[in-house]
Amino acid sequence: MRQIHLQILMLMVLTCTYTTWVYAATTGEQWVAPAQEKALRRAQAVVPMVKEVKQEGAIRRSQRLHALGVSVRDVKDSYFVLNSPFIKAVEDHYGAVRFNHGQHAAESGDCTICHHLRAKTATPAKNGDKPLETQRCSACHQQAFNPDYPERLGLKAAFHQRCIPCHEQRHKGPQTCRGCHLNNVPDHKKLVKLPDNADALQVTAECLRCHETAANDLQHSAHWLWRGPSTHTQDHENSVRHGKGTTALNNY
Amino acid sequence: MQIKRRNFFKLAAVGAGSVVISPRPTRAERKKAGDSFACLVDTSRCIGCRKCEQACNEINNLPEPARRFDDLTVFDSARRPDARRFTVVNRYHSGRIDDAGLLVADYVKIQCMHCLDPSCASACVTGALSKHDNGAVHYDVSKCIGCRYCMMACPFEIPAYEYHNPLTPRVMKCNFCEEQFTRQHKAPACATICPTEAITFGKRTTLLQLAKKRLAKYPARYEQHIYGEHEAGGTAWLYLARVPFKKLGFLTLPSNPLPRLSELIQHSLFSYLWSPALLFALLGGIMYRNRAKNDSGEGHKQSGGVS
Ligand code: SF4
Ligand code: SF4
Ligand code: SF4
């Protein structure tokens, strides 16, 4: 029974890989999950700036939303990519942050922690929906240092000022830059220079051209120096003589 | 010719006259131009990420630092801006604690304050340092003779000198990324990169209003003082802090601009070069008189010899 399960699983994995490969081969593009594609498209959208906000205190707002029946259960989109043109226009230091909206809503249980204000006039209700009490961050927070709205934070600062203290205080979520941000990896198609039919050593040399520090670091890490039993080597469970630090072939 | 007392006073009067007609704008005129650019550094927002240091290094093509910008152990000792870095962030423990009773650090970014009435510019004998109407205190290397008076005059100890560069040494200090906002309408690199907007860029009057609003809105969060509003006659870089500024390494400075007296003396002395001219005239006069004396003395001796 277990065997059959495994076989089915293998078949599924292979089919998926094959489909992706065929898709990439025929279209020349990499397959992107629909949720990711939607999030990327959404991140590019720019909405008109909210000029005036409804003045209400944090507690008052929270209570009012509660009375209206607006809660985290109303979350429609659970996954965003925080990659706004407002930020990219002035700097491109890190890759975009992948933000799990649904999870954050469920964890905090209170929309108003992030959606702390709303436009003075609420967007009216559409076919049976509740009137819109929350808006996307970039509806209010756009370019930094707008002289007409000096007290308003730019989008980047709005994100950081909301995220960092919360992660610190709750001891939850990443606490370092790279914990949230993807590395801004430049397109290696333009960087890598290899002859046609390059051999393995040429490829390694080309990697080392830029990543020498990483290579040195690796040679001092367990990935390079491990020795001892491995859960994946049969019949040698107690042997300490095997491993990359001893008998196994070391290569990149 | 002998310089008589009367002639001396005449010359001195010419010198004094030239001071009066000196074309340098007075302080009042400079103030009126007033709405220059400025930055408000809210240290309560700073998370000590050192991205501003990195951005400053990159935009000014400064040499690569000895330790990487993501190395936060540099905070273990206090640092100063120097010839290789225009800005540094320092960490202070003022005794402030968080809800859990743990010590919380405050981070302070320092750079040239771009004083409204800069001592460095007053001390500079060649005008290599000057205050621009846009707010920046500008350094012109082509005028600099390397006397380093500016380094001694600056109350914030900012200008540094490229001692390691014997052939073309420069005075090094933050240039306010002046080209960024004059040519490209962009904020300085450090303000642009700051993830939390701890550095707000704008017109000085706007930023002062903004700072006052923050102090009024969050009285418990801030020390009720805007550092730079009046210090040393006012500076273009303004600071807000959670704790008394003294605990964050800020100097307590008088509110009258420090350079007034030195500037008055120095600029009176050097304008139109009347004082060196007078000095040389005086020396020339003394030489002439001594020679005349010697001539007559010799004549006396000779005649004595004959008789
Ligand atoms: S801080 Fe120092 S170097 Fe900068 S403008 Fe003021 S006096 Fe000049
Ligand atoms: S204003 Fe420009 S030169 Fe000055 S500290 Fe910031 S980045 Fe450096
Ligand atoms: S970039 Fe901003 S938050 Fe980071 S150290 Fe500089 S001033 Fe502080």
Side-chain angles (χ1 to χ4, degrees), chain B residues 111-115 118-121 137 153-159 173:
Chain B
Q111 71 297 306
C112 169
M113 300 285 283
H114 296 275
C115 308
S119 308
C120 57
V137 173
C154 170
F156 301 99
E157 295 174 33
I158 293 298
K173 73 165 196 74

Side-chain angles (χ1 to χ4, degrees), chain A residues 90-91 93-94 144-145 150-154 156-157 160-161 164 177, chain B residues 45 47 51 54 187 191-197 199-201 206 210:
Chain A
V90 285
E91 64 139 327
H93 208 68
Y94 282 110
F145 317 131
E151 74 284 4
R152 214 180 266 188
L153 292 172
K156 183 176 67 167
H160 286 113
Q161 282 202 24
I164 296 171
C177 305
Chain B
R45 288 179 175 185
I47 54 168
K51 291 281 176 277
Q54 183 175 4
T192 305
I193 203 161
C194 179
T196 59
E197 240 168 80
I199 311 163
T200 309
F201 173 72
T206 319
L210 175 64

Side-chain angles (χ1 to χ4, degrees), chain B residues 91-107:
Chain B
R91 183 182 60 199
Y92 293 89
H93 288 289
S94 62
R96 196 161 64 79
I97 51 171
D98 67 3
D99 296 343
L102 297 169
L103 259 190
V104 197
D106 286 284
Y107 296 94

Side-chain angles (χ1 to χ4, degrees), chain B residues 131-300:
Chain B
K131 177 81 177 171
H132 283 181
D133 286 345
N134 59 26
V137 173
H138 177 79
Y139 170 68
D140 181 351
V141 67
S142 67
K143 289 188 188 164
C144 177
I145 52 168
C147 69
R148 282 162 281 140
Y149 281 2
C150 51
M151 294 170 65
M152 273 175 282
C154 170
F156 301 99
E157 295 174 33
I158 293 298
Y161 198 63
E162 287 186 315
Y163 290 108
H164 59 273
N165 175 1
L167 292 180
T168 52
R170 291 167 297 173
V171 166
M172 303 293 274
K173 73 165 196 74
C174 155
N175 49 38
F176 210 155
C177 289
E178 200 179 352
E179 299 222 327
Q180 285 282 106
F181 53 79
T182 50
R183 299 246 168 95
Q184 306 186 34
H185 304 289
K186 277 191 194 162
C190 52
T192 305
I193 203 161
C194 179
T196 59
E197 240 168 80
I199 311 163
T200 309
F201 173 72
K203 291 289 169 81
R204 191 169 185 268
T205 41
T206 319
L207 292 185
L208 274 175
Q209 276 171 9
L210 175 64
K212 283 174 187 159
K213 256 192 216 160
R214 277 190 212 164
L215 294 186
K217 196 168 172 195
Y218 307 102
R221 183 184 172 112
Y222 294 108
E223 181 70 14
Q224 292 293 316
H225 182 70
I226 306 168
Y227 192 92
E229 184 181 11
H230 300 298
E231 273 77 7
T235 56
W237 279 65
L238 306 163
Y239 283 80
L240 291 180
R242 283 184 194 266
V243 295
F245 284 93
K246 243 194 233 164
K247 293 189 176 177
L248 301 179
F250 287 86
L251 297 170
T252 311
L253 291 173
S255 60
N256 54 319
L258 303 167
R260 296 314 297 164
L261 184 66
S262 66
E263 186 174 346
L264 188 74
I265 296 171
Q266 182 145 292
H267 287 234
S268 330
L269 279 176
F270 282 96
S271 52
Y272 293 106
L273 290 180
W274 72 265
S275 55
L278 178 65
L279 181 69
F280 286 121
L282 249 168
L283 290 174
I286 293 168
M287 270 168 64
Y288 183 81
R289 201 182 70 165
N290 286 352
R291 223 180 66 194
K293 239 193 206 162
N294 282 351
D295 283 353
S296 57
E298 265 167 39
H300 183 68

